[in-house]
Amino acid sequence: MIKCPSCGLIDPGGHTRCLECSADLSGSTQSFAPVGDSRESESSDSDFADAPALIVTRGPGVGERFVLTEPLTTIGRDPGSHIFLNDITVSRTHAVVTKSGCVLQIADKGSLNGIYVDGILVTSAILDAGDVIQVGRFQLVFVAKRAR
């Protein structure tokens, strides 16, 4: 398996070009030894194993994980944002995630392109495990331990 040197997407094997950004993978010398299933690595990180998070699944930084432990998490193109998404399709102050107990809510902060939750344009929404959030050209999946 090869990690794209340009966008970070992990190629499942055999491709000469990245499936996400079309970067040349044929000359890449990057390699890694898989550490196992992602569920195993999440549970092995004892500090944040049960913490809700947003994981980038499309756009620059694929695989990057943002743990949502603060009462307020800002998302935007401003380098001071908690979740910094450096792309022209993202507003400087695009959205905010607020945490109240075990409830997390995302809200648009007047962005030009809006936010989408599971393909629906929203001004705000309560997040549920598995929700797909679109911010500009970034796609993030909300992961959280489900109540049993």
Side-chain angles (χ1 to χ4, degrees):
M1 296 207 300
I2 296 174
K3 182 176 179 181
C4 175
S6 181
C7 72
L9 181 73
I10 296 174
D11 178 53
H15 297 99
T16 58
R17 295 227 168 254
C18 176
L19 299 173
E20 178 70 26
C21 70
S22 298
D24 184 15
L25 299 177
S26 61
S28 177
T29 57
Q30 290 187 334
S31 64
F32 68 96
V35 292
D37 182 329
S38 63
R39 290 173 299 217
E40 291 174 10
S41 57
E42 285 176 21
S43 63
S44 66
D45 185 1
S46 60
D47 292 337
F48 299 112
D50 294 334
L54 290 172
I55 300 174
V56 178
T57 57
R58 181 168 292 152
V62 168
E64 194 167 1
R65 178 185 178 104
F66 300 99
V67 178
L68 303 170
T69 56
E70 299 298 319
L72 184 110
T73 303
T74 57
I75 302 172
R77 197 177 75 237
D78 183 331
S81 297
H82 295 105
I83 299 177
F84 174 52
L85 302 176
N86 191 17
D87 188 79
I88 195 76
T89 61
V90 177
S91 296
R92 286 193 157 286
T93 306
H94 200 103
V96 64
V97 176
T98 54
K99 182 177 180 186
S100 177
C102 61
V103 176
L104 282 92
Q105 180 173 13
I106 189 165
D108 188 0
K109 297 305 285 180
S111 68
L112 182 61
N113 291 317
I115 55 172
Y116 293 80
V117 175
D118 293 332
I120 300 169
L121 180 63
V122 298
T123 54
S124 70
I126 303 293
L127 296 176
D128 193 20
D131 282 348
V132 177
I133 295 102
Q134 187 80 31
V135 177
R137 70 180 195 125
F138 290 84
Q139 187 176 71
L140 305 105
V141 173
F142 177 64
V143 294
K145 185 176 182 180
R146 294 184 189 264
R148 296 189 191 241

PDB file of all heavy atoms in Angstrom, residues 50-89:
ATOM      1  N   ASP A  50     -12.925   6.925  23.177  1.00  0.00           N
ATOM      2  CA  ASP A  50     -14.373   7.102  23.195  1.00  0.00           C
ATOM      3  C   ASP A  50     -14.797   8.515  22.832  1.00  0.00           C
ATOM      4  O   ASP A  50     -15.986   8.815  22.824  1.00  0.00           O
ATOM      5  CB  ASP A  50     -14.924   6.754  24.581  1.00  0.00           C
ATOM      6  CG  ASP A  50     -14.743   5.276  24.909  1.00  0.00           C
ATOM      7  OD1 ASP A  50     -14.683   4.468  23.962  1.00  0.00           O
ATOM      8  OD2 ASP A  50     -14.651   4.951  26.101  1.00  0.00           O
ATOM      9  N   ALA A  51     -13.843   9.390  22.525  1.00  0.00           N
ATOM     10  CA  ALA A  51     -14.161  10.778  22.214  1.00  0.00           C
ATOM     11  C   ALA A  51     -14.728  10.891  20.805  1.00  0.00           C
ATOM     12  O   ALA A  51     -14.247  10.247  19.885  1.00  0.00           O
ATOM     13  CB  ALA A  51     -12.914  11.649  22.352  1.00  0.00           C
ATOM     14  N   PRO A  52     -15.750  11.712  20.629  1.00  0.00           N
ATOM     15  CA  PRO A  52     -16.274  11.942  19.287  1.00  0.00           C
ATOM     16  C   PRO A  52     -15.229  12.663  18.436  1.00  0.00           C
ATOM     17  O   PRO A  52     -14.394  13.407  18.962  1.00  0.00           O
ATOM     18  CB  PRO A  52     -17.511  12.815  19.524  1.00  0.00           C
ATOM     19  CG  PRO A  52     -17.302  13.440  20.851  1.00  0.00           C
ATOM     20  CD  PRO A  52     -16.441  12.502  21.644  1.00  0.00           C
ATOM     21  N   ALA A  53     -15.281  12.438  17.120  1.00  0.00           N
ATOM     22  CA  ALA A  53     -14.283  13.040  16.236  1.00  0.00           C
ATOM     23  C   ALA A  53     -14.846  13.214  14.837  1.00  0.00           C
ATOM     24  O   ALA A  53     -15.838  12.591  14.460  1.00  0.00           O
ATOM     25  CB  ALA A  53     -13.037  12.159  16.185  1.00  0.00           C
ATOM     26  N   LEU A  54     -14.193  14.078  14.075  1.00  0.00           N
ATOM     27  CA  LEU A  54     -14.448  14.222  12.649  1.00  0.00           C
ATOM     28  C   LEU A  54     -13.225  13.702  11.923  1.00  0.00           C
ATOM     29  O   LEU A  54     -12.099  14.070  12.264  1.00  0.00           O
ATOM     30  CB  LEU A  54     -14.702  15.685  12.280  1.00  0.00           C
ATOM     31  CG  LEU A  54     -16.007  16.287  12.781  1.00  0.00           C
ATOM     32  CD1 LEU A  54     -16.039  17.794  12.515  1.00  0.00           C
ATOM     33  CD2 LEU A  54     -17.197  15.622  12.110  1.00  0.00           C
ATOM     34  N   ILE A  55     -13.430  12.845  10.920  1.00  0.00           N
ATOM     35  CA  ILE A  55     -12.333  12.273  10.147  1.00  0.00           C
ATOM     36  C   ILE A  55     -12.496  12.697   8.695  1.00  0.00           C
ATOM     37  O   ILE A  55     -13.571  12.516   8.109  1.00  0.00           O
ATOM     38  CB  ILE A  55     -12.307  10.742  10.258  1.00  0.00           C
ATOM     39  CG1 ILE A  55     -12.123  10.334  11.720  1.00  0.00           C
ATOM     40  CG2 ILE A  55     -11.193  10.154   9.384  1.00  0.00           C
ATOM     41  CD1 ILE A  55     -12.225   8.856  11.978  1.00  0.00           C
ATOM     42  N   VAL A  56     -11.442  13.271   8.109  1.00  0.00           N
ATOM     43  CA  VAL A  56     -11.475  13.714   6.717  1.00  0.00           C
ATOM     44  C   VAL A  56     -11.466  12.483   5.809  1.00  0.00           C
ATOM     45  O   VAL A  56     -10.568  11.651   5.891  1.00  0.00           O
ATOM     46  CB  VAL A  56     -10.272  14.623   6.387  1.00  0.00           C
ATOM     47  CG1 VAL A  56     -10.299  15.041   4.916  1.00  0.00           C
ATOM     48  CG2 VAL A  56     -10.246  15.851   7.290  1.00  0.00           C
ATOM     49  N   THR A  57     -12.493  12.372   4.947  1.00  0.00           N
ATOM     50  CA  THR A  57     -12.580  11.246   4.010  1.00  0.00           C
ATOM     51  C   THR A  57     -12.455  11.692   2.563  1.00  0.00           C
ATOM     52  O   THR A  57     -12.296  10.865   1.677  1.00  0.00           O
ATOM     53  CB  THR A  57     -13.904  10.472   4.184  1.00  0.00           C
ATOM     54  OG1 THR A  57     -15.005  11.370   3.999  1.00  0.00           O
ATOM     55  CG2 THR A  57     -13.970   9.813   5.550  1.00  0.00           C
ATOM     56  N   ARG A  58     -12.524  12.996   2.309  1.00  0.00           N
ATOM     57  CA  ARG A  58     -12.340  13.518   0.957  1.00  0.00           C
ATOM     58  C   ARG A  58     -11.775  14.927   1.050  1.00  0.00           C
ATOM     59  O   ARG A  58     -12.176  15.700   1.894  1.00  0.00           O
ATOM     60  CB  ARG A  58     -13.666  13.542   0.199  1.00  0.00           C
ATOM     61  CG  ARG A  58     -13.496  14.063  -1.232  1.00  0.00           C
ATOM     62  CD  ARG A  58     -14.691  13.843  -2.094  1.00  0.00           C
ATOM     63  NE  ARG A  58     -14.829  12.401  -2.309  1.00  0.00           N
ATOM     64  CZ  ARG A  58     -15.984  11.805  -2.534  1.00  0.00           C
ATOM     65  NH1 ARG A  58     -17.091  12.497  -2.572  1.00  0.00           N
ATOM     66  NH2 ARG A  58     -16.041  10.508  -2.734  1.00  0.00           N
ATOM     67  N   GLY A  59     -10.820  15.227   0.164  1.00  0.00           N
ATOM     68  CA  GLY A  59     -10.155  16.517   0.155  1.00  0.00           C
ATOM     69  C   GLY A  59      -8.753  16.366   0.712  1.00  0.00           C
ATOM     70  O   GLY A  59      -8.352  15.267   1.117  1.00  0.00           O
ATOM     71  N   PRO A  60      -7.996  17.449   0.748  1.00  0.00           N
ATOM     72  CA  PRO A  60      -6.647  17.377   1.312  1.00  0.00           C
ATOM     73  C   PRO A  60      -6.680  16.878   2.762  1.00  0.00           C
ATOM     74  O   PRO A  60      -7.587  17.207   3.515  1.00  0.00           O
ATOM     75  CB  PRO A  60      -6.157  18.826   1.246  1.00  0.00           C
ATOM     76  CG  PRO A  60      -6.978  19.454   0.162  1.00  0.00           C
ATOM     77  CD  PRO A  60      -8.313  18.774   0.229  1.00  0.00           C
ATOM     78  N   GLY A  61      -5.716  16.071   3.127  1.00  0.00           N
ATOM     79  CA  GLY A  61      -5.634  15.583   4.505  1.00  0.00           C
ATOM     80  C   GLY A  61      -6.506  14.375   4.787  1.00  0.00           C
ATOM     81  O   GLY A  61      -6.913  14.163   5.941  1.00  0.00           O
ATOM     82  N   VAL A  62      -6.802  13.566   3.780  1.00  0.00           N
ATOM     83  CA  VAL A  62      -7.626  12.375   3.984  1.00  0.00           C
ATOM     84  C   VAL A  62      -7.040  11.537   5.128  1.00  0.00           C
ATOM     85  O   VAL A  62      -5.841  11.315   5.193  1.00  0.00           O
ATOM     86  CB  VAL A  62      -7.716  11.530   2.683  1.00  0.00           C
ATOM     87  CG1 VAL A  62      -8.323  10.168   2.956  1.00  0.00           C
ATOM     88  CG2 VAL A  62      -8.518  12.263   1.627  1.00  0.00           C
ATOM     89  N   GLY A  63      -7.901  11.136   6.033  1.00  0.00           N
ATOM     90  CA  GLY A  63      -7.480  10.329   7.177  1.00  0.00           C
ATOM     91  C   GLY A  63      -7.193  11.146   8.425  1.00  0.00           C
ATOM     92  O   GLY A  63      -7.097  10.595   9.516  1.00  0.00           O
ATOM     93  N   GLU A  64      -7.075  12.457   8.275  1.00  0.00           N
ATOM     94  CA  GLU A  64      -6.815  13.295   9.443  1.00  0.00           C
ATOM     95  C   GLU A  64      -8.015  13.239  10.379  1.00  0.00           C
ATOM     96  O   GLU A  64      -9.166  13.274   9.957  1.00  0.00           O
ATOM     97  CB  GLU A  64      -6.545  14.738   9.005  1.00  0.00           C
ATOM     98  CG  GLU A  64      -5.961  15.582  10.086  1.00  0.00           C
ATOM     99  CD  GLU A  64      -5.400  16.894   9.578  1.00  0.00           C
ATOM    100  OE1 GLU A  64      -5.466  17.177   8.374  1.00  0.00           O
ATOM    101  OE2 GLU A  64      -4.900  17.648  10.425  1.00  0.00           O
ATOM    102  N   ARG A  65      -7.736  13.139  11.684  1.00  0.00           N
ATOM    103  CA  ARG A  65      -8.774  12.969  12.700  1.00  0.00           C
ATOM    104  C   ARG A  65      -8.757  14.172  13.646  1.00  0.00           C
ATOM    105  O   ARG A  65      -7.713  14.538  14.174  1.00  0.00           O
ATOM    106  CB  ARG A  65      -8.498  11.686  13.481  1.00  0.00           C
ATOM    107  CG  ARG A  65      -9.461  11.409  14.590  1.00  0.00           C
ATOM    108  CD  ARG A  65      -9.006  10.162  15.362  1.00  0.00           C
ATOM    109  NE  ARG A  65      -9.886   9.903  16.451  1.00  0.00           N
ATOM    110  CZ  ARG A  65     -10.806   8.951  16.464  1.00  0.00           C
ATOM    111  NH1 ARG A  65     -10.911   8.135  15.451  1.00  0.00           N
ATOM    112  NH2 ARG A  65     -11.588   8.781  17.504  1.00  0.00           N
ATOM    113  N   PHE A  66      -9.924  14.769  13.845  1.00  0.00           N
ATOM    114  CA  PHE A  66     -10.071  15.909  14.744  1.00  0.00           C
ATOM    115  C   PHE A  66     -10.965  15.497  15.902  1.00  0.00           C
ATOM    116  O   PHE A  66     -12.171  15.308  15.735  1.00  0.00           O
ATOM    117  CB  PHE A  66     -10.671  17.105  14.007  1.00  0.00           C
ATOM    118  CG  PHE A  66      -9.845  17.587  12.843  1.00  0.00           C
ATOM    119  CD1 PHE A  66     -10.164  17.216  11.554  1.00  0.00           C
ATOM    120  CD2 PHE A  66      -8.745  18.394  13.051  1.00  0.00           C
ATOM    121  CE1 PHE A  66      -9.413  17.648  10.482  1.00  0.00           C
ATOM    122  CE2 PHE A  66      -7.979  18.842  11.987  1.00  0.00           C
ATOM    123  CZ  PHE A  66      -8.311  18.463  10.688  1.00  0.00           C
ATOM    124  N   VAL A  67     -10.392  15.345  17.077  1.00  0.00           N
ATOM    125  CA  VAL A  67     -11.136  14.928  18.267  1.00  0.00           C
ATOM    126  C   VAL A  67     -11.913  16.126  18.799  1.00  0.00           C
ATOM    127  O   VAL A  67     -11.383  17.234  18.909  1.00  0.00           O
ATOM    128  CB  VAL A  67     -10.180  14.352  19.331  1.00  0.00           C
ATOM    129  CG1 VAL A  67     -10.947  13.955  20.577  1.00  0.00           C
ATOM    130  CG2 VAL A  67      -9.432  13.151  18.770  1.00  0.00           C
ATOM    131  N   LEU A  68     -13.174  15.909  19.128  1.00  0.00           N
ATOM    132  CA  LEU A  68     -14.074  16.978  19.568  1.00  0.00           C
ATOM    133  C   LEU A  68     -14.302  16.893  21.073  1.00  0.00           C
ATOM    134  O   LEU A  68     -15.315  16.388  21.537  1.00  0.00           O
ATOM    135  CB  LEU A  68     -15.403  16.865  18.805  1.00  0.00           C
ATOM    136  CG  LEU A  68     -15.296  16.900  17.283  1.00  0.00           C
ATOM    137  CD1 LEU A  68     -16.626  16.543  16.633  1.00  0.00           C
ATOM    138  CD2 LEU A  68     -14.791  18.248  16.800  1.00  0.00           C
ATOM    139  N   THR A  69     -13.334  17.371  21.834  1.00  0.00           N
ATOM    140  CA  THR A  69     -13.437  17.296  23.293  1.00  0.00           C
ATOM    141  C   THR A  69     -13.778  18.644  23.926  1.00  0.00           C
ATOM    142  O   THR A  69     -14.187  18.687  25.081  1.00  0.00           O
ATOM    143  CB  THR A  69     -12.117  16.783  23.908  1.00  0.00           C
ATOM    144  OG1 THR A  69     -11.051  17.625  23.474  1.00  0.00           O
ATOM    145  CG2 THR A  69     -11.855  15.344  23.505  1.00  0.00           C
ATOM    146  N   GLU A  70     -13.618  19.729  23.175  1.00  0.00           N
ATOM    147  CA  GLU A  70     -13.878  21.073  23.707  1.00  0.00           C
ATOM    148  C   GLU A  70     -15.368  21.422  23.584  1.00  0.00           C
ATOM    149  O   GLU A  70     -16.059  20.893  22.709  1.00  0.00           O
ATOM    150  CB  GLU A  70     -13.043  22.110  22.945  1.00  0.00           C
ATOM    151  CG  GLU A  70     -11.542  21.897  23.062  1.00  0.00           C
ATOM    152  CD  GLU A  70     -11.046  22.000  24.498  1.00  0.00           C
ATOM    153  OE1 GLU A  70     -11.517  22.885  25.240  1.00  0.00           O
ATOM    154  OE2 GLU A  70     -10.190  21.188  24.869  1.00  0.00           O
ATOM    155  N   PRO A  71     -15.864  22.343  24.409  1.00  0.00           N
ATOM    156  CA  PRO A  71     -17.265  22.758  24.298  1.00  0.00           C
ATOM    157  C   PRO A  71     -17.564  23.456  22.963  1.00  0.00           C
ATOM    158  O   PRO A  71     -18.693  23.448  22.494  1.00  0.00           O
ATOM    159  CB  PRO A  71     -17.464  23.738  25.455  1.00  0.00           C
ATOM    160  CG  PRO A  71     -16.308  23.535  26.367  1.00  0.00           C
ATOM    161  CD  PRO A  71     -15.203  22.937  25.571  1.00  0.00           C
ATOM    162  N   LEU A  72     -16.544  24.072  22.354  1.00  0.00           N
ATOM    163  CA  LEU A  72     -16.719  24.775  21.098  1.00  0.00           C
ATOM    164  C   LEU A  72     -15.516  24.496  20.196  1.00  0.00           C
ATOM    165  O   LEU A  72     -14.371  24.675  20.633  1.00  0.00           O
ATOM    166  CB  LEU A  72     -16.824  26.290  21.339  1.00  0.00           C
ATOM    167  CG  LEU A  72     -17.092  27.097  20.096  1.00  0.00           C
ATOM    168  CD1 LEU A  72     -18.499  27.653  20.139  1.00  0.00           C
ATOM    169  CD2 LEU A  72     -16.095  28.217  19.986  1.00  0.00           C
ATOM    170  N   THR A  73     -15.765  24.040  18.974  1.00  0.00           N
ATOM    171  CA  THR A  73     -14.708  23.755  18.002  1.00  0.00           C
ATOM    172  C   THR A  73     -15.011  24.521  16.732  1.00  0.00           C
ATOM    173  O   THR A  73     -16.076  24.338  16.131  1.00  0.00           O
ATOM    174  CB  THR A  73     -14.634  22.244  17.689  1.00  0.00           C
ATOM    175  OG1 THR A  73     -14.417  21.527  18.902  1.00  0.00           O
ATOM    176  CG2 THR A  73     -13.518  21.931  16.717  1.00  0.00           C
ATOM    177  N   THR A  74     -14.086  25.400  16.325  1.00  0.00           N
ATOM    178  CA  THR A  74     -14.281  26.185  15.112  1.00  0.00           C
ATOM    179  C   THR A  74     -13.723  25.449  13.900  1.00  0.00           C
ATOM    180  O   THR A  74     -12.718  24.741  13.997  1.00  0.00           O
ATOM    181  CB  THR A  74     -13.604  27.562  15.229  1.00  0.00           C
ATOM    182  OG1 THR A  74     -12.213  27.378  15.517  1.00  0.00           O
ATOM    183  CG2 THR A  74     -14.240  28.395  16.324  1.00  0.00           C
ATOM    184  N   ILE A  75     -14.392  25.631  12.762  1.00  0.00           N
ATOM    185  CA  ILE A  75     -13.975  25.025  11.497  1.00  0.00           C
ATOM    186  C   ILE A  75     -13.872  26.146  10.471  1.00  0.00           C
ATOM    187  O   ILE A  75     -14.815  26.920  10.304  1.00  0.00           O
ATOM    188  CB  ILE A  75     -15.007  23.991  10.993  1.00  0.00           C
ATOM    189  CG1 ILE A  75     -15.220  22.883  12.027  1.00  0.00           C
ATOM    190  CG2 ILE A  75     -14.571  23.410   9.653  1.00  0.00           C
ATOM    191  CD1 ILE A  75     -16.372  21.941  11.688  1.00  0.00           C
ATOM    192  N   GLY A  76     -12.713  26.230   9.790  1.00  0.00           N
ATOM    193  CA  GLY A  76     -12.591  27.259   8.767  1.00  0.00           C
ATOM    194  C   GLY A  76     -11.221  27.335   8.134  1.00  0.00           C
ATOM    195  O   GLY A  76     -10.324  26.550   8.446  1.00  0.00           O
ATOM    196  N   ARG A  77     -11.084  28.302   7.226  1.00  0.00           N
ATOM    197  CA  ARG A  77      -9.833  28.531   6.515  1.00  0.00           C
ATOM    198  C   ARG A  77      -8.884  29.423   7.318  1.00  0.00           C
ATOM    199  O   ARG A  77      -7.724  29.570   6.971  1.00  0.00           O
ATOM    200  CB  ARG A  77     -10.136  29.138   5.140  1.00  0.00           C
ATOM    201  CG  ARG A  77      -8.988  29.052   4.176  1.00  0.00           C
ATOM    202  CD  ARG A  77      -9.335  29.591   2.802  1.00  0.00           C
ATOM    203  NE  ARG A  77      -9.377  31.042   2.823  1.00  0.00           N
ATOM    204  CZ  ARG A  77     -10.413  31.780   2.481  1.00  0.00           C
ATOM    205  NH1 ARG A  77     -11.532  31.222   2.081  1.00  0.00           N
ATOM    206  NH2 ARG A  77     -10.362  33.097   2.534  1.00  0.00           N
ATOM    207  N   ASP A  78      -9.364  30.009   8.388  1.00  0.00           N
ATOM    208  CA  ASP A  78      -8.517  30.821   9.257  1.00  0.00           C
ATOM    209  C   ASP A  78      -7.545  29.884   9.974  1.00  0.00           C
ATOM    210  O   ASP A  78      -7.977  28.911  10.606  1.00  0.00           O
ATOM    211  CB  ASP A  78      -9.381  31.556  10.280  1.00  0.00           C
ATOM    212  CG  ASP A  78      -8.588  32.490  11.176  1.00  0.00           C
ATOM    213  OD1 ASP A  78      -7.395  32.230  11.432  1.00  0.00           O
ATOM    214  OD2 ASP A  78      -9.171  33.490  11.624  1.00  0.00           O
ATOM    215  N   PRO A  79      -6.230  30.153   9.885  1.00  0.00           N
ATOM    216  CA  PRO A  79      -5.256  29.276  10.555  1.00  0.00           C
ATOM    217  C   PRO A  79      -5.481  29.141  12.057  1.00  0.00           C
ATOM    218  O   PRO A  79      -5.018  28.194  12.670  1.00  0.00           O
ATOM    219  CB  PRO A  79      -3.905  29.938  10.266  1.00  0.00           C
ATOM    220  CG  PRO A  79      -4.144  30.750   9.037  1.00  0.00           C
ATOM    221  CD  PRO A  79      -5.577  31.205   9.119  1.00  0.00           C
ATOM    222  N   GLY A  80      -6.228  30.044  12.658  1.00  0.00           N
ATOM    223  CA  GLY A  80      -6.535  29.964  14.086  1.00  0.00           C
ATOM    224  C   GLY A  80      -7.701  29.043  14.406  1.00  0.00           C
ATOM    225  O   GLY A  80      -8.015  28.816  15.577  1.00  0.00           O
ATOM    226  N   SER A  81      -8.342  28.494  13.382  1.00  0.00           N
ATOM    227  CA  SER A  81      -9.469  27.580  13.603  1.00  0.00           C
ATOM    228  C   SER A  81      -8.975  26.299  14.260  1.00  0.00           C
ATOM    229  O   SER A  81      -7.861  25.848  13.991  1.00  0.00           O
ATOM    230  CB  SER A  81     -10.135  27.218  12.271  1.00  0.00           C
ATOM    231  OG  SER A  81     -10.690  28.352  11.661  1.00  0.00           O
ATOM    232  N   HIS A  82      -9.807  25.696  15.093  1.00  0.00           N
ATOM    233  CA  HIS A  82      -9.461  24.404  15.691  1.00  0.00           C
ATOM    234  C   HIS A  82      -9.290  23.355  14.592  1.00  0.00           C
ATOM    235  O   HIS A  82      -8.395  22.531  14.648  1.00  0.00           O
ATOM    236  CB  HIS A  82     -10.547  23.943  16.674  1.00  0.00           C
ATOM    237  CG  HIS A  82     -10.678  24.835  17.863  1.00  0.00           C
ATOM    238  ND1 HIS A  82     -11.720  25.717  18.012  1.00  0.00           N
ATOM    239  CD2 HIS A  82      -9.896  24.987  18.951  1.00  0.00           C
ATOM    240  CE1 HIS A  82     -11.574  26.376  19.149  1.00  0.00           C
ATOM    241  NE2 HIS A  82     -10.483  25.948  19.744  1.00  0.00           N
ATOM    242  N   ILE A  83     -10.212  23.380  13.613  1.00  0.00           N
ATOM    243  CA  ILE A  83     -10.120  22.489  12.457  1.00  0.00           C
ATOM    244  C   ILE A  83      -9.836  23.385  11.259  1.00  0.00           C
ATOM    245  O   ILE A  83     -10.733  24.051  10.731  1.00  0.00           O
ATOM    246  CB  ILE A  83     -11.411  21.668  12.259  1.00  0.00           C
ATOM    247  CG1 ILE A  83     -11.665  20.787  13.487  1.00  0.00           C
ATOM    248  CG2 ILE A  83     -11.315  20.822  10.986  1.00  0.00           C
ATOM    249  CD1 ILE A  83     -12.960  19.991  13.438  1.00  0.00           C
ATOM    250  N   PHE A  84      -8.568  23.433  10.876  1.00  0.00           N
ATOM    251  CA  PHE A  84      -8.098  24.297   9.794  1.00  0.00           C
ATOM    252  C   PHE A  84      -8.203  23.546   8.478  1.00  0.00           C
ATOM    253  O   PHE A  84      -7.539  22.531   8.271  1.00  0.00           O
ATOM    254  CB  PHE A  84      -6.649  24.706  10.080  1.00  0.00           C
ATOM    255  CG  PHE A  84      -5.984  25.483   8.979  1.00  0.00           C
ATOM    256  CD1 PHE A  84      -6.568  26.611   8.441  1.00  0.00           C
ATOM    257  CD2 PHE A  84      -4.754  25.074   8.493  1.00  0.00           C
ATOM    258  CE1 PHE A  84      -5.945  27.333   7.441  1.00  0.00           C
ATOM    259  CE2 PHE A  84      -4.108  25.790   7.493  1.00  0.00           C
ATOM    260  CZ  PHE A  84      -4.707  26.916   6.961  1.00  0.00           C
ATOM    261  N   LEU A  85      -9.092  24.014   7.588  1.00  0.00           N
ATOM    262  CA  LEU A  85      -9.285  23.413   6.276  1.00  0.00           C
ATOM    263  C   LEU A  85      -8.826  24.426   5.234  1.00  0.00           C
ATOM    264  O   LEU A  85      -9.563  25.364   4.903  1.00  0.00           O
ATOM    265  CB  LEU A  85     -10.754  23.019   6.071  1.00  0.00           C
ATOM    266  CG  LEU A  85     -11.331  22.041   7.090  1.00  0.00           C
ATOM    267  CD1 LEU A  85     -12.814  21.805   6.828  1.00  0.00           C
ATOM    268  CD2 LEU A  85     -10.560  20.728   7.100  1.00  0.00           C
ATOM    269  N   ASN A  86      -7.625  24.249   4.754  1.00  0.00           N
ATOM    270  CA  ASN A  86      -6.983  25.226   3.882  1.00  0.00           C
ATOM    271  C   ASN A  86      -7.382  25.023   2.422  1.00  0.00           C
ATOM    272  O   ASN A  86      -6.697  24.345   1.672  1.00  0.00           O
ATOM    273  CB  ASN A  86      -5.462  25.143   4.040  1.00  0.00           C
ATOM    274  CG  ASN A  86      -4.758  26.295   3.371  1.00  0.00           C
ATOM    275  OD1 ASN A  86      -5.358  27.317   3.062  1.00  0.00           O
ATOM    276  ND2 ASN A  86      -3.461  26.138   3.144  1.00  0.00           N
ATOM    277  N   ASP A  87      -8.514  25.602   2.054  1.00  0.00           N
ATOM    278  CA  ASP A  87      -8.981  25.532   0.678  1.00  0.00           C
ATOM    279  C   ASP A  87      -9.886  26.732   0.422  1.00  0.00           C
ATOM    280  O   ASP A  87     -10.630  27.147   1.322  1.00  0.00           O
ATOM    281  CB  ASP A  87      -9.747  24.220   0.431  1.00  0.00           C
ATOM    282  CG  ASP A  87     -10.074  24.023  -1.035  1.00  0.00           C
ATOM    283  OD1 ASP A  87      -9.168  23.613  -1.791  1.00  0.00           O
ATOM    284  OD2 ASP A  87     -11.217  24.301  -1.433  1.00  0.00           O
ATOM    285  N   ILE A  88      -9.846  27.263  -0.800  1.00  0.00           N
ATOM    286  CA  ILE A  88     -10.618  28.448  -1.159  1.00  0.00           C
ATOM    287  C   ILE A  88     -12.128  28.222  -1.051  1.00  0.00           C
ATOM    288  O   ILE A  88     -12.894  29.165  -0.903  1.00  0.00           O
ATOM    289  CB  ILE A  88     -10.219  28.942  -2.572  1.00  0.00           C
ATOM    290  CG1 ILE A  88     -10.716  30.347  -2.819  1.00  0.00           C
ATOM    291  CG2 ILE A  88     -10.714  27.996  -3.639  1.00  0.00           C
ATOM    292  CD1 ILE A  88      -9.936  31.404  -2.128  1.00  0.00           C
ATOM    293  N   THR A  89     -12.594  26.976  -1.079  1.00  0.00           N
ATOM    294  CA  THR A  89     -14.028  26.680  -0.973  1.00  0.00           C
ATOM    295  C   THR A  89     -14.537  26.735   0.471  1.00  0.00           C
ATOM    296  O   THR A  89     -15.730  26.607   0.710  1.00  0.00           O
ATOM    297  CB  THR A  89     -14.347  25.287  -1.559  1.00  0.00           C
ATOM    298  OG1 THR A  89     -13.629  24.288  -0.808  1.00  0.00           O
ATOM    299  CG2 THR A  89     -13.964  25.200  -3.031  1.00  0.00           C
TER     300      THR A  89
END
